[in-house]
Amino acid sequence: MTYSNNQAQQRAITHLDGPMLVLAGPGSGKTFVITKRIQALIDAGVDPGQILVVTFTNAAAREMKERFFALMGDAPKKQAVTFGTFHSVFFLMLRHAYGYSGKDIIKEQDRRKIVTESLKYHQADLMEEEDIVSGLISEIGFVKEERIDPQYYHSLTCSDEIFRKIFADYERILRDNRKIDFEDMLVFTYELLSARPDIRKAWSEKFRYIMVDEFQDINMIQYRTLQMLAAPTNHLFCVGDDDQSIYHFRGARPEIMLGFEKDYPGCEKVILEENYRSDGAILAAASKVIRHNQVRFVKDEKTKKGVGSPVEVRIYANCTQENEAIAKRILEYRKTGVQLSEMAILVRTNTGGRGILEKLSEYNIPFISKEKVPCLYDHWIVRDLLSYIKFANGIQERGLFLRIMNRPNRYIRREAVADAYVDFEDLVEYYQDKDWMLERLDAFEYDLNRLFGMDPYSAICYIEKKIGYGDYLDEYASARGIHADDLHEILEEVKEGAKAHRTWRDWEAYMNDYREKLLLQEREKPSEAAQDAVVVSTMHQAKGLEYTVVFLPDVNEGVVPYRKAVLAADLEEERRMFYVAMTRAKRFLHVFAVKERYSKEMEPSRFLAEIKE
């Protein structure tokens, strides 16, 4: 029976027994191949109840199931096929073995609460930075999935000693309350199947035919567990694209896919090289970039859609001009009949979209953000700066003063500030017998007087340079083992935005208005299908999606590729991420860079040169 006119697809679909690796490039129809192969297995007499399809997200599992059900129509056998994520399938096994139920899975807000309280106990002044809590949760998950001894793990978020204490608190609280997290689901299932051959045999007989979507995103513990389940028949059908492996920070190991043929000698391999999504110019540009990676399967991607419009590569003077250009092009495309929902702006990090979101708001262009974009004006650095400015301009509340009095450290004690409003005469009286403190207070009061009436940009520059807030950020970062560059970039972004405002009250009103717009957008967030709005997303979140028009801003060294990517393997992953972003575009792709970003000179990304080769 013929299931596809594409010969490579037909080979994959009609493969029945034994291991197979399917290399499926962008837009090559991998979902079509998986669903049609399930149909082919059933047509060949395989019991549908013995077919397992594993994905990485609930949305992917749901889409795969819906596509398969639509394909099979009224066939009753379709209900017996199992679709699920790694976590849902593994939790099914744990539920049978240990009696776990949904209430035993710890909720995300409870994870954050445990980590936050532990952080507060061990190092209280880190509490202001929400990203630190997120980073710690991510690192705890990584350590557990990789089965690393915390004693030998070097944290990227805080000092190693603090991380070990927080990790120990987190695990103790989970065990004391008989709770498990998503990482436990993987680890406990691996340990269960390793220790109990009888249970492993039962599940292997239940799921004789295993199909894995997005195989390039698999981590080692998932892979080892799947191998146990697939043995001894090894009817393991793995579909993915090593060039789209971009989740190393979650434990994904593209080398697993690259080593599949060694793990299963004689396995079949097929490459789906026909791209049904992108025009020729886009595919050619993306192919030129990805070919610079050394560790990959060689492919010869092609499309029958024609050459199409050339990829636009342009360098702007600064982010303001770049964002302005994007907004105007969006309006131009809309005039030609392209829906806003068919346009996407893809950024490297979730903070990278802040400037363009402000510009879209300014132009009244509706947008949907794929993930919550941290509001710049909620950052503790902004609260520090605004506290300085407001206090200097006569709002001498105790709370504002407590926030700034030791940033940088002036060794002022909280006990010296007893009243609801702060008077420097009271401070002088408190420290009257300490000449060195009186000198500090005199300098502090002088600086505050200088700040009075300054426009926001000038005030921030004064706080940074003259008062020493920039040095304070360096000390803050050094003491906590985090990157000072990240903090200074926030400061520069704030300065850049402050230039547009003449008074601090105008600036504060703008911040409050923008914050409200973001909250409203998040609160009333409709589905993309329900609203015609531009999609703003990170490159990670855009994987698997497609748009008529794609904008890639800030393609500069330090952004794309990201500055933290220094090893060869890290740079290859950055190139894969850029390749993924490029191949989201169907007809029009715009790749932009800037000469200056937040008052700092920028170099165009090496990827731009690769596009132009």
Side-chain angles (χ1 to χ4, degrees):
M1 183 181 292
T2 300
Y3 294 92
S4 171
N5 292 325
N6 179 317
Q7 288 187 357
Q9 288 182 344
Q10 177 72 6
R11 256 191 71 203
I13 291 167
T14 55
H15 173 82
L16 295 180
D17 295 338
M20 178 176 237
L21 180 64
V22 180
L23 300 175
S28 61
K30 67 180 180 64
T31 303
F32 170 80
V33 166
I34 292 172
T35 53
K36 293 292 284 186
R37 180 174 185 258
I38 303 170
Q39 182 187 32
L41 288 173
I42 295 171
D43 289 346
V46 173
D47 180 353
Q50 293 185 325
I51 300 173
L52 169 65
V53 182
V54 189
T55 67
F56 282 84
T57 66
N58 288 318
R62 189 165 52 249
E63 182 194 359
M64 195 77 70
K65 186 174 182 177
E66 288 170 357
R67 292 273 292 271
F68 173 65
F69 277 24
L71 176 68
M72 296 297 287
D74 297 329
K77 292 180 178 181
K78 68 183 183 184
Q79 302 287 348
V81 177
T82 301
F83 295 84
T85 63
F86 278 97
H87 290 101
S88 66
V89 172
F90 289 0
F91 186 67
L92 173 68
M93 298 176 189
L94 296 178
R95 194 171 65 200
H96 279 274
Y98 303 125
Y100 282 122
S101 67
K103 65 180 177 58
D104 296 316
I105 303 172
I106 190 167
K107 296 177 180 176
E108 182 60 26
Q109 60 264 35
D110 292 331
R111 295 180 81 191
R112 296 191 72 85
K113 184 179 178 183
I114 293 170
V115 172
T116 299
E117 289 180 354
S118 178
L119 186 59
K120 185 177 182 180
Y121 179 80
H122 295 296
Q123 196 166 339
D125 56 348
L126 276 174
M127 276 295 294
E128 290 184 292
E129 185 54 86
E130 189 176 317
D131 284 352
I132 288 178
V133 175
S134 299
L136 284 168
I137 290 174
S138 177
E139 289 194 74
I140 288 169
F142 178 78
V143 167
K144 292 174 72 167
E145 280 191 352
E146 295 294 308
R147 306 179 82 209
I148 300 170
D149 185 335
Q151 295 297 320
Y152 302 108
Y153 178 72
H154 297 295
S155 173
L156 301 175
T157 306
C158 61
S159 73
D160 294 346
E161 181 185 0
I162 294 295
F163 177 79
R164 286 193 286 269
K165 290 176 179 177
I166 292 170
F167 184 91
D169 289 346
Y170 177 82
E171 285 292 87
R172 175 179 49 78
I173 291 170
L174 256 63
R175 301 293 87 85
D176 288 351
N177 292 278
R178 200 178 184 268
K179 294 288 186 182
I180 64 171
D181 60 20
F182 285 105
E183 289 74 36
D184 290 331
M185 291 183 197
L186 307 183
V187 175
F188 289 0
T189 304
Y190 172 79
E191 292 174 346
L192 171 68
L193 298 183
S194 298
R196 293 288 302 272
D198 56 328
I199 293 176
R200 181 172 71 238
K201 183 173 183 290
W203 285 109
S204 294
E205 290 176 352
K206 161 66 177 168
F207 296 129
R208 291 186 64 238
Y209 290 84
I210 301 174
M211 304 172 71
V212 186
D213 185 26
E214 303 286 9
F215 185 58
Q216 75 279 351
D217 294 332
I218 201 166
N219 64 31
M220 191 55 73
I221 200 163
Q222 291 166 335
Y223 183 51
R224 295 301 183 213
T225 307
L226 274 186
Q227 286 184 301
M228 285 191 282
L229 281 175
T233 57
N234 294 328
H235 300 325
L236 192 55
F237 185 88
C238 300
V239 183
D241 181 8
D242 56 305
D243 288 334
Q244 296 187 69
S245 179
I246 59 173
Y247 292 114
H248 187 271
F249 69 97
R250 292 183 187 168
R253 296 290 178 265
E255 59 268 23
I256 293 173
M257 188 171 196
L258 292 164
F260 188 79
E261 291 172 283
K262 290 182 180 178
D263 292 339
Y264 295 96
C267 79
E268 287 198 55
K269 181 175 77 173
V270 64
I271 304 177
L272 306 183
E273 295 177 323
E274 186 75 46
N275 184 303
Y276 294 93
R277 176 189 299 150
S278 303
D279 284 349
I282 295 170
L283 189 61
S287 296
K288 282 192 282 187
V289 171
I290 199 63
R291 284 172 188 164
H292 281 264
N293 273 3
Q294 301 300 308
V295 185
R296 62 186 291 264
F297 287 111
V298 177
K299 309 174 192 72
D300 183 22
E301 295 172 301
K302 54 183 80 72
T303 180
K304 292 179 180 176
K305 294 188 68 176
V307 175
S309 299
V311 174
E312 182 189 24
V313 178
R314 182 162 296 191
I315 300 176
Y316 290 92
N318 52 48
C319 294
T320 302
Q321 288 188 17
E322 178 186 56
N323 292 336
E324 189 91 19
I326 292 173
K328 287 180 177 177
R329 274 177 172 75
I330 287 170
L331 295 176
E332 289 167 4
Y333 275 120
R334 186 164 64 172
K335 284 181 182 177
T336 66
V338 180
Q339 290 189 317
L340 293 177
S341 58
E342 274 297 311
M343 296 184 244
I345 304 165
L346 308 184
V347 294
R348 174 61 182 82
T349 66
N350 66 340
T351 59
R354 285 193 291 230
I356 189 61
L357 290 187
E358 291 192 45
K359 186 60 66 176
L360 295 177
S361 297
E362 185 183 316
Y363 274 79
N364 291 315
I365 297 173
F367 64 84
I368 289 176
S369 177
K370 277 285 184 184
E371 54 267 287
K372 184 177 180 182
V373 177
C375 181
L376 174 66
Y377 306 120
D378 288 336
H379 198 282
W380 58 267
I381 289 177
V382 180
R383 296 202 295 271
D384 285 355
L385 297 171
L386 193 58
S387 295
Y388 260 112
I389 293 169
K390 291 172 79 169
F391 193 91
N393 281 277
I395 305 176
Q396 296 179 317
E397 298 171 356
R398 181 174 185 267
L400 295 178
F401 187 80
L402 289 175
R403 183 166 198 95
I404 63 175
M405 66 183 187
N406 288 317
R407 297 188 173 192
N409 200 354
R410 300 177 179 89
Y411 301 96
I412 301 172
R413 301 174 62 184
R414 293 178 73 93
E415 293 78 12
V417 192
D419 297 331
Y421 291 89
V422 178
D423 189 325
F424 266 79
E425 289 184 9
D426 295 337
L427 287 168
V428 168
E429 184 178 342
Y430 185 89
Y431 286 109
Q432 60 183 331
D433 59 339
K434 294 181 174 63
D435 290 343
W436 63 278
M437 278 302 299
L438 293 177
E439 289 178 12
R440 290 176 184 274
L441 290 173
D442 186 52
F444 191 9
E445 189 173 21
Y446 171 81
D447 285 330
L448 291 169
N449 288 334
R450 288 292 305 274
L451 283 174
F452 177 77
M454 280 189 185
D455 63 83
Y457 176 75
S458 300
I460 295 169
C461 290
Y462 189 90
I463 294 165
E464 178 191 12
K465 303 294 185 185
K466 299 295 185 182
I467 293 179
Y469 190 78
D471 294 334
Y472 163 74
L473 293 181
D474 291 335
E475 293 168 7
Y476 180 97
S478 177
R480 290 152 185 82
I482 59 179
H483 294 279
D485 285 350
D486 293 342
L487 302 180
H488 283 283
E489 186 168 299
I490 294 290
L491 181 61
E492 291 301 325
E493 190 175 352
V494 175
K495 280 165 62 178
E496 189 73 24
K499 288 179 180 177
H501 306 281
R502 295 181 61 188
T503 70
W504 72 266
R505 290 188 184 277
D506 291 340
W507 188 44
E508 185 179 39
Y510 172 81
M511 288 191 281
N512 290 335
D513 181 59
Y514 178 68
R515 189 183 290 112
E516 277 299 312
K517 284 182 179 178
L518 269 190
L519 287 172
L520 186 67
Q521 195 267 344
E522 186 66 27
R523 196 163 50 239
E524 299 181 358
K525 191 174 187 177
S527 68
E528 289 177 51
Q531 181 183 354
D532 189 28
V534 175
V535 175
V536 181
S537 170
T538 61
M539 295 176 179
H540 280 113
Q541 288 288 342
K543 187 165 173 290
L545 303 175
E546 59 183 33
Y547 303 93
T548 300
V549 183
V550 169
F551 297 93
L552 305 180
D554 299 333
V555 184
N556 290 89
E557 289 293 313
V559 182
V560 183
Y562 199 47
R563 63 175 175 269
K564 294 178 183 177
V566 291
L567 302 176
D570 297 332
L571 286 169
E572 293 221 344
E573 175 146 342
E574 289 291 312
R575 187 175 280 106
R576 290 195 294 269
M577 195 179 315
F578 187 60
Y579 171 76
V580 166
M582 293 178 76
T583 54
R584 300 311 92 197
K586 294 192 286 187
R587 292 185 58 203
F588 304 103
L589 176 61
H590 302 271
V591 184
F592 295 157
V594 293
K595 294 179 181 177
E596 180 187 277
R597 190 170 187 258
Y598 309 138
S599 304
K600 180 182 176 183
E601 285 190 15
M602 303 292 290
E603 290 292 324
S605 171
R606 68 196 73 185
F607 301 155
L608 296 189
E610 293 169 7
I611 289 174
K612 294 176 180 178
E613 285 176 356

